[in-house]
Amino acid sequence: MTTITRLSRPIGLDRIAMYVSGLCIVHCVASAVFFAMLSTVGGLLGNPIFHEVGLGIAIVLGAIGLGRGAMQHGYLLPLATGSLGLGIMAGAMTLPHDTAFLEGGEALWTIIGVGILAFGHDLNRRADN
């Protein structure tokens, strides 16, 4: 079995994915608060394409980062955890996109999915050490 040093690993794709997950949570909470305060505002943050593109980016980062990790260290728990988070995020997109934070549940389930996905990336990062 070959040993991979920190310098020869990719530039922390799991760490980048965790930061993107954090940005997603900030976006979800900020959008809910923003729309609750200004219910007449539409704009980019409420546009479904914004969420679809974000989910696409999450799926690509998850597939690359978690898949690479599973192939390197052989642990499937990070991959399974991250996949569960992505599935919850995808399922949340089918819920009504309401302005109230808990009314349709989309924001709440997205935040739960993002948290689980970030946890999967953290497990993956720790397995590499």
Side-chain angles (χ1 to χ4, degrees):
M1 184 170 181
T2 60
T3 303
I4 298 174
T5 64
R6 285 185 181 258
L7 296 176
S8 66
R9 277 194 235 148
I11 57 166
L13 190 60
D14 291 309
R15 190 176 300 265
I16 292 169
M18 289 168 61
Y19 290 137
V20 172
S21 295
L23 287 174
C24 180
I25 290 174
V26 168
H27 160 74
C28 289
V29 172
S31 295
V33 169
F34 183 70
F35 288 140
M37 289 176 21
L38 302 168
S39 61
T40 59
V41 176
L44 178 64
L45 293 178
N47 193 336
I49 192 71
F50 187 83
H51 299 111
E52 292 164 5
V53 169
L55 179 63
I57 291 169
I59 289 171
V60 169
L61 284 176
I64 293 170
L66 296 169
R68 173 200 52 84
M71 289 174 49
Q72 277 186 340
H73 51 64
Y75 298 122
L76 295 180
L77 181 62
L79 178 64
T81 304
S83 297
L84 174 65
L86 285 170
I88 291 172
M89 290 167 59
M93 288 186 61
T94 66
L95 297 173
H97 185 72
D98 293 322
T99 56
F101 185 66
L102 294 176
E103 193 171 314
E106 180 203 17
L108 177 65
W109 282 107
T110 300
I111 290 170
I112 291 169
V114 166
I116 293 171
L117 175 60
F119 180 60
H121 281 294
D122 187 49
L123 290 173
N124 201 40
R125 184 182 58 83
R126 290 172 190 253
D128 280 344
N129 288 334

